[in-house]
Amino acid sequence: MTEKMSFIKKLTISAKEGTLFKKSNTVSPVSASKAVSHTGSQSNLNKASLPSASNGAATSPSKPSPNTQTLSATKQTESISQDGSMIIASVTTRGVNPANAPPFKPKQKYNFADLSIDRTLGTGSFGRVHLVRLKTTGKYYAMKVLKKNEVVKMKQVEHTINEKNILEKLDYPFLVFMLGTIQDSHNLYFILEYVQGGEVFSFLRRSGRFQNSVAKFYAVEVILAFEYLHIRDIIYRDLKPENLLIDSKGHVKITDFGFAKHVPDITWTLCGTPDYLAPEIIQSKGYGKAVDWWAFGILLYEMLAGHPPFYDDDHFKLYEKILACKPKFPSHFDPNAKDLVKRILTTDLTKRYGNLKAGVVDIKTHKWFADVEWQKMEDCQVPAPYLPPCKGEGDTSNFDQYQEDHEPYGVVGPDPHKDKFIGF
Ligand SMILES: Nc1ncnc2c1ncn2[C@@H]1O[C@H](COP(=O)(O)OP(=O)(O)O)[C@@H](O)[C@H]1O
Ligand SMILES: [Mg+2]
């Protein structure tokens, strides 16, 4: 781990099943560098998550795909047909999250004339996120834009539908809240609550590493969020500091549900971010919720050390290090935190904390969390360790600058991919 590498954002990449260990095919079908040039972000930031053969199970007929039926059923019932014009085709029916989201009228249709599009807040492998303002109310939101062409080319159609179907069901303080979706002939749009404080990634890189109390605060909120998701059989699959945002009161909001999936038992798709991949994903085994706990162990280590436990420029070597699973702990690392990380970062699934009989309880009752008042934390009654500077509702100073080289939004015209996104 070099000092330089620890400052680089991590790429989400896509790989077909069983290809992770073939060097030439490590990143397939889309190379990480291609994803970066597509997003047009700063050259020194090499950001994105790992992959997916979007239909991991589907591409392998010999393997069962227990979740496909459930997902398509959900899709059918929740689809609202739309005519391809630039209107919000589907809006969450649950109303808004009273604690965290400004009002955005559900079931009402808007068009791009109602939105003023502001600067880019972030880019990832697949999307660009803008600050937008609803002209009628003056409220600010974040708008994630995905190009239909890219989504199709990168085999992310199923994941993008999952992202929408899952986001519209979520309402929890530590998860980003979605207000609605839009599509036009070129793009798909998610309208999300705007989380002002920037990425945990930026705060962590500025800080070098977090003090115990800071890491613990964020860790607790991520655990609670994962507990909420896992009870609903949703695996998140892309935990990393780049996907953790800090709200104006200093609480965590997990964003980017691009790889989230309803998985009651196991799934096979290779997706995530290389540094955060659980051994069972690398080994192309069927895997379940335990991969989120593995990623949580990596996050905890990264927050306390300032860099991930396993790192190598060469993905092949990185995966070997993950499988060997011998993290080295800096001398400053809190002994209790070290004990917890070691109990989570274990390749043996029958020993991994979070995956044992007691589930999340083993983690919540670990001695590193002895001073945590879980209910108070869930109720946001504990003051956050860091309040991001916010000069007003539309302040974007906590986000990096990006080139604004995107195409116009709200374009009406021929849509060769219309059939793939019906109901989005
Ligand atoms: N709701 C939001 N509020 C503010 N910024 C956001 C929001 N959602 C995403 N972002 C920013 O945009 C970046 C890219 O969004 P993300 O959903 O992670 O896309 P990708 O799937 O391409 O990684 C995030 O890392 C974050 O910086
Ligand atoms: Mg992301």
Side-chain angles (χ1 to χ4, degrees), residues 12 47 49 121-127 129 142 144 163 176 192-195 199 242-243 245 255-256 399:
T12 304
K47 177 183 193 178
S49 323
L121 299 168
T123 60
S125 309
F126 309 120
V129 176
K144 178 169 177 173
E163 184 169 6
V176 76
L192 308 165
E193 65 174 309
Y194 172 45
V195 189
E199 299 173 15
E242 292 86 334
N243 286 339
L245 300 173
T255 194
D256 196 352
F399 290 86

Side-chain angles (χ1 to χ4, degrees), residues 84-348:
S85 63
M86 47 186 178
I87 54 171
I88 290 186
S90 164
V91 177
T92 177
T93 53
R94 291 167 301 100
V96 294
N97 174 337
N100 304 299
F104 190 94
K105 291 176 192 160
K107 289 285 183 198
Q108 188 165 337
K109 291 183 174 179
Y110 297 88
N111 61 42
F112 277 95
D114 294 322
L115 296 172
S116 35
I117 315 282
D118 210 312
R119 55 160 289 199
T120 299
L121 299 168
T123 60
S125 309
F126 309 120
R128 170 182 290 267
V129 176
H130 286 272
L131 179 71
V132 297
R133 194 158 159 260
L134 190 60
K135 290 177 188 165
T136 49
T137 62
K139 295 284 182 190
Y140 290 92
Y141 301 90
M143 182 177 81
K144 178 169 177 173
V145 187
L146 298 177
K147 289 183 184 171
K148 288 183 183 178
N149 263 337
E150 293 290 325
V151 171
V152 171
K153 199 167 85 190
M154 291 152 100
K155 301 193 183 350
Q156 296 299 311
V157 173
E158 189 182 327
H159 282 170
T160 305
I161 302 290
N162 287 351
E163 184 169 6
K164 182 231 174 205
N165 286 342
I166 288 173
L167 269 171
E168 67 188 358
K169 291 185 183 70
L170 303 180
D171 189 355
Y172 193 67
F174 310 128
L175 301 174
V176 76
F177 188 78
M178 184 180 83
L179 289 303
T181 54
I182 312 177
Q183 66 170 307
D184 61 23
S185 53
H186 287 174
N187 299 309
L188 304 164
Y189 307 87
F190 295 89
I191 308 293
L192 308 165
E193 65 174 309
Y194 172 45
V195 189
Q196 271 193 295
E199 299 173 15
V200 167
F201 175 87
S202 312
F203 181 40
L204 179 57
R205 292 301 178 260
R206 275 199 315 274
S207 312
R209 57 184 158 89
F210 290 155
Q211 287 174 359
N212 231 18
S213 57
V214 179
K216 197 182 293 185
F217 186 86
Y218 296 147
V220 165
E221 298 196 333
V222 170
I223 290 168
L224 289 168
F226 276 7
E227 190 178 11
Y228 173 95
L229 292 173
H230 289 182
I231 286 169
R232 287 158 182 78
D233 284 334
I234 296 166
I235 314 189
Y236 176 66
R237 299 198 291 190
D238 203 12
L239 185 67
K240 56 179 171 180
E242 292 86 334
N243 286 339
L244 294 181
L245 300 173
I246 303 173
D247 76 10
S248 57
K249 299 207 168 69
H251 296 284
V252 159
K253 296 268 185 192
I254 302 182
T255 194
D256 196 352
F257 283 72
F259 291 144
K261 186 177 181 183
H262 183 250
V263 180
D265 36 36
I266 52 172
T267 190
W268 288 270
T269 311
L270 293 174
C271 65
T273 296
D275 295 359
Y276 277 70
L277 277 189
E280 59 269 28
I281 302 181
I282 294 168
Q283 291 169 316
S284 297
K285 294 180 180 169
Y287 64 86
K289 300 175 182 78
V291 301
D292 278 345
W293 293 122
W294 173 278
F296 171 75
I298 302 282
L299 176 77
L300 193 50
Y301 181 106
E302 180 165 351
M303 289 195 294
L304 288 166
H307 55 80
F310 312 112
Y311 187 78
D312 205 291
D313 276 335
D314 180 334
H315 284 174
F316 182 78
K317 290 185 182 146
L318 168 65
Y319 299 141
E320 281 184 336
K321 286 179 186 173
I322 293 171
L323 294 179
C325 194
K326 289 182 184 136
K328 291 199 175 82
F329 291 85
S331 55
H332 61 72
F333 215 95
D334 179 283
N336 285 338
K338 178 175 167 180
D339 183 81
L340 178 59
V341 169
K342 283 171 107 173
R343 289 177 192 275
I344 295 174
L345 295 186
T346 160
T347 52
D348 184 347

